[in-house]
Amino acid sequence: MFKLLRRFAGAYRRYFIVGPACKLLEVFFDLLTPLVIARMIDEGVGAHDLPVVLRYGALLLIMAAIGMAFTLVCQKMAALASQGMGTDIRCDLYRSINRLSYAELDRFGTPSLITRITNDVNQVQLAIALGIRQLIRWPFLAVGSMVAALAIDLKLGLIFLVSTPLIGIVFWVVMARSVPYYQGMQRKLDRIGLICREGLSGERVVRAFVRERHERDRFRAASADQAATAIAVGKLSSVLNPVTFLVMNLGVCAILWAGGIQVNVGALSQGEVMAFVNYMTQTLLSIVYVANLVVVFTRASASATRVNEVLECEPSISDAGAQPVDVEAALAAGAPAVRMRDAAFSFPGSAARAVDGADFALRPGQTLGVIGGTGSGKSTLVSLIPRLYDATAGAVEVLGRDVRAWPLKQLRRVVGVVPQKASLVSGTIRSNLCWRDAAATDDELWDALACAQAADFVQKLPMGLDSPVEAGGKNFSGGQRQRLSIARALVGEPLVLILDDSASALDFKTDAALRHAIRLRGVARVPGASTAPLTTVIVSQRVSSVRDADLICVMRRGAVVGLGAHDELLRSCKVYQEICLSQLKREELGLADDEVLEVTDDGELELANGEALATVGAGGGAPAATAAACPATGSVEASDTGVA
């Protein structure tokens, strides 16, 4: 909690000074009140003097009005400080989250981050507000009441010395056992957030499989678990008030008993006994409120720890020490657009590598196809290019420079990414398309839409580019969302375009038209420089989407098991052969109706009569290049005729 105060309280220092100062003045009048009442009893009530009673009553009203005025000022200071700091914490927290790499986002998890930026910050705000309003009042009132009571009669003051430690012991025991519960409650709120997010975002799937009851049961179980923890800590906290009030009332009884004796012998007046009772009550009530404040501060401390955990998390990916890259010079020098040098990647805590043995190069203008089964590491592989993850071994280069040496902003300006899941934000089509280039003209937007095969349906919308987009793009179909996402990546003319299975919702005709348009796009403009061909990386599970690529990377269980052109991999890579056999027709493989395909023990694809498939391929000629193998060995670079 103190870390957050040191970090964010500077701009609100005056509120932290004025608020408690006003509260101290209010407490000063509260401490004078029992003395005024004592005088009213002794001089007015005891003497049956009504004017004296009225005079002291008027004084009490004036003191109450002044105290109320100071209270209102303190309340406003507390509101300004707590709300202002809460806003600053949320903004800084959101900024920190946006700086985190995929690795840190995976570690925290989206539901947990949402809970931290909402519920946890709310707990901190509440603690700040109560700290200004109450933290000074009750301890100062307790100490002041004790001092004033001891000044009245030292012997009766011994009752304070017995009562206060008893309450302190109960308070310490309860708080020590409550802290772990509060930390557990926040974690269980994360779980509720996760289930709620899954159920609401996947509502269509839930209904399609008639799993509404199952989701309700999951949510009910998580809520009940969190409620059980809250009830347990509530039971502990509930011990405080009864015990403290019991001690307080016993103390009052002791004071009245001992004070009555003192009055009988003339050592104390009736007013002084009443003042003593009032001070006793104020002292013990103050301890009760302090105990409740500690409950709030305990919860806020647990929340502040979670907030600080995010704020202090240094992203594993940063551009510290990176220098701007002269893109034009790199292109003129003939540097490969993308190159991987035995690149590998492992997720934290994972025993197996998610990517292993990626070694290839692409020249500007060429196309890389990445294919493999589900979970083979395709998306992870291409995430290394824009440095969404950092390779844990080997190197990844863009335009001849290691991606770690690029400023992140410039690297991701050069590399356009279309993720697997089309993600649009609420706004308009124009506001979504301008993410990469806020100054893009309408002509540039329509050009990108045309290339992404999205211009036709956007033109039919009544408002065109200014048509509204709901959160997540829910008012568009899956294929429309994918095409808008592709158009967004094309705006700003990237030099490298990564399509991470981003055409999965498109029909084959539209997919083919999209790839043809990207290939014919010609050149990608470099701001302030010459032009350079557009290099494309296509991730897909469709052979038809990658078969025309200059270089195809075949992946299985994270390993690169094949590199080469389509014809070559069809002849030499068993994994690629199996994929082709499951998707392509016989005529697409160049086989007659009476020819039978077999896979030999060493992985070669041949006819049943033993004739190699390469001799009966389309055109009857051998493939142009023969460098690929399965598994791949060495570095492979795409050439105009195949691979080299």
Side-chain angles (χ1 to χ4, degrees):
M1 189 69 183
F2 290 109
K3 289 183 180 179
L4 289 180
L5 290 175
R6 285 196 298 268
R7 184 167 182 170
F8 295 99
Y12 306 95
R13 188 178 295 110
R14 61 185 182 278
Y15 302 139
F16 282 93
I17 296 174
V18 174
C22 291
K23 186 60 67 173
L24 284 176
L25 292 173
E26 178 197 350
V27 171
F28 175 74
F29 287 106
D30 287 341
L31 291 175
L32 289 179
T33 298
L35 296 179
V36 174
I37 293 175
R39 289 289 186 91
M40 180 188 294
I41 293 174
D42 291 340
E43 298 177 11
V45 177
H48 303 284
D49 191 342
L50 182 60
V52 173
V53 173
L54 294 176
R55 186 166 62 248
Y56 280 117
L59 179 60
L60 289 175
L61 289 176
I62 294 173
M63 291 169 58
I66 296 174
M68 179 64 71
F70 284 124
T71 298
L72 292 176
V73 174
C74 180
Q75 295 280 69
K76 184 172 183 179
M77 297 298 103
L80 290 173
S82 61
Q83 295 301 317
M85 280 188 62
T87 301
D88 291 347
I89 292 172
R90 280 196 180 92
C91 291
D92 208 21
L93 192 59
Y94 193 73
R95 190 181 304 113
S96 297
I97 291 172
N98 283 323
R99 290 174 54 242
L100 300 178
S101 68
Y102 275 23
E104 287 79 41
L105 293 176
D106 292 341
R107 176 164 64 89
F108 285 113
T110 301
S112 177
L113 291 174
I114 292 174
T115 303
R116 292 171 199 241
I117 206 171
T118 52
N119 182 272
D120 286 325
V121 176
N122 285 341
Q123 296 295 333
V124 173
Q125 281 183 295
L126 178 62
I128 293 170
L130 292 180
I132 294 176
R133 290 162 43 196
Q134 308 291 352
L135 189 60
I136 294 295
R137 171 182 171 79
W138 297 113
F140 190 80
L141 186 61
V143 174
S145 297
M146 189 175 295
V147 171
L150 292 174
I152 293 175
D153 189 87
L154 189 59
K155 293 180 179 179
L156 288 180
L158 295 176
I159 299 175
F160 280 92
L161 301 180
V162 174
S163 303
T164 304
L166 291 176
I167 296 177
I169 292 173
V170 175
F171 164 79
W172 180 82
V173 171
V174 171
M175 290 302 101
R177 297 188 61 186
S178 297
V179 172
Y181 280 107
Y182 288 124
Q183 294 172 343
M185 283 176 60
Q186 297 306 110
R187 289 193 296 269
K188 291 175 181 180
L189 281 174
D190 290 346
R191 174 66 179 168
I192 293 175
L194 172 63
I195 294 174
C196 187
R197 182 171 180 265
E198 288 178 343
L200 295 179
S201 62
E203 59 182 8
R204 296 186 180 182
V205 178
V206 171
R207 293 180 182 180
F209 285 87
V210 196
R211 301 289 288 176
E212 293 92 340
R213 180 183 295 275
H214 175 265
E215 289 302 306
R216 287 197 299 269
D217 291 342
R218 287 179 69 207
F219 187 83
R220 188 181 296 109
S223 298
D225 187 27
Q226 194 272 343
T229 303
I231 291 172
V233 73
K235 288 179 178 178
L236 276 175
S237 300
S238 66
V239 174
L240 287 175
N241 286 346
V243 172
T244 51
F245 276 107
L246 175 63
V247 174
M248 179 184 71
N249 290 328
L250 290 176
V252 170
C253 291
I255 289 173
L256 292 176
W257 179 271
I261 297 175
Q262 296 279 52
V263 171
N264 286 333
V265 298
L268 288 175
S269 67
Q270 294 176 347
E272 289 175 330
V273 173
M274 292 302 302
F276 208 101
V277 171
N278 285 335
Y279 283 130
M280 176 73 174
T281 304
Q282 285 183 345
T283 300
L284 298 182
L285 280 177
S286 297
I287 295 175
V288 172
Y289 277 105
V290 168
N292 291 328
L293 282 178
V294 173
V295 172
V296 173
F297 292 146
T298 301
R299 298 185 64 177
S301 177
S303 294
T305 300
R306 288 159 51 86
V307 171
N308 281 318
E309 189 178 4
V310 178
L311 292 176
E312 295 173 356
C313 179
E314 289 297 325
S316 57
I317 294 177
S318 66
D319 52 10
Q323 297 295 325
V325 178
D326 189 337
V327 176
E328 185 177 9
L331 292 170
V338 177
R339 180 166 191 139
M340 291 195 179
R341 301 179 183 272
D342 199 23
F345 173 78
S346 298
F347 288 102
S350 175
R353 287 182 171 181
V355 174
D356 191 19
D359 200 316
F360 59 82
L362 284 177
R363 292 202 301 275
Q366 293 188 320
T367 300
L368 169 69
V370 184
I371 193 169
T374 302
S376 58
K378 304 184 299 296
S379 297
T380 306
L381 174 71
V382 298
S383 295
L384 301 178
I385 299 173
R387 209 182 167 204
L388 300 178
Y389 290 109
D390 262 341
T392 53
V396 180
E397 298 176 359
V398 172
L399 295 180
R401 178 180 287 197
D402 194 301
V403 292
R404 295 179 178 89
W406 281 77
L408 289 175
K409 186 175 182 179
Q410 186 184 20
L411 175 64
R412 291 168 186 172
R413 172 78 179 179
V414 169
V415 180
V417 181
V418 185
Q420 279 182 306
K421 183 179 179 181
S423 178
L424 301 175
V425 297
S426 57
T428 63
I429 292 177
R430 185 193 304 276
S431 66
N432 275 271
L433 294 182
C434 289
W435 269 30
R436 281 178 53 84
D437 185 1
T441 64
D442 283 6
D443 290 340
E444 292 172 331
L445 299 183
W446 283 114
D447 179 55
L449 287 169
C451 183
Q453 311 301 300
D456 289 343
F457 81 81
V458 174
Q459 287 171 347
K460 294 178 182 178
L461 297 173
M463 301 177 67
L465 290 172
D466 294 312
S467 299
V469 177
E470 294 179 3
K474 296 296 184 181
N475 54 328
F476 294 104
S477 69
Q480 290 173 334
R481 289 197 296 269
Q482 284 191 336
R483 284 178 279 172
L484 289 174
S485 297
I486 294 170
R488 178 176 59 192
L490 290 169
V491 174
E493 301 292 352
L495 295 179
V496 179
L497 178 65
I498 299 175
L499 302 176
D500 184 5
D501 206 12
S502 53
S504 59
L506 304 183
D507 58 81
F508 283 94
K509 181 179 178 181
T510 305
D511 183 18
L514 170 66
R515 287 182 283 106
H516 181 69
I518 291 175
R519 186 175 289 273
L520 294 181
R521 193 165 175 81
V523 295
R525 293 184 294 276
V526 181
S530 60
T531 59
L534 174 64
T535 303
T536 309
V537 178
I538 300 175
V539 177
S540 180
Q541 297 188 45
R542 296 177 181 175
V543 175
S544 59
S545 297
V546 302
R547 66 180 301 170
D548 295 327
D550 299 288
L551 181 64
I552 300 174
C553 174
V554 185
M555 300 195 69
R556 182 172 184 269
R557 296 179 183 175
V560 177
V561 297
L563 283 170
H566 169 74
D567 288 339
E568 183 178 2
L569 291 172
L570 187 61
R571 179 177 52 83
S572 61
C573 183
K574 184 175 181 179
V575 175
Y576 191 70
Q577 294 163 5
E578 293 172 349
I579 296 174
C580 290
L581 286 170
S582 67
Q583 297 184 21
L584 301 180
K585 297 179 180 179
R586 298 176 62 84
E587 53 268 24
E588 291 178 291
L589 293 175
L591 298 175
D593 291 339
D594 58 347
E595 292 174 321
V596 180
L597 276 175
E598 289 184 354
V599 179
T600 64
D601 293 337
D602 58 0
E604 296 292 335
L605 191 67
E606 62 178 22
L607 299 179
N609 60 8
E611 187 177 6
L613 177 62
T615 63
V616 295
T626 59
C630 180
T633 56
S635 175
V636 180
E637 181 176 355
S639 66
D640 295 333
T641 59
V643 292

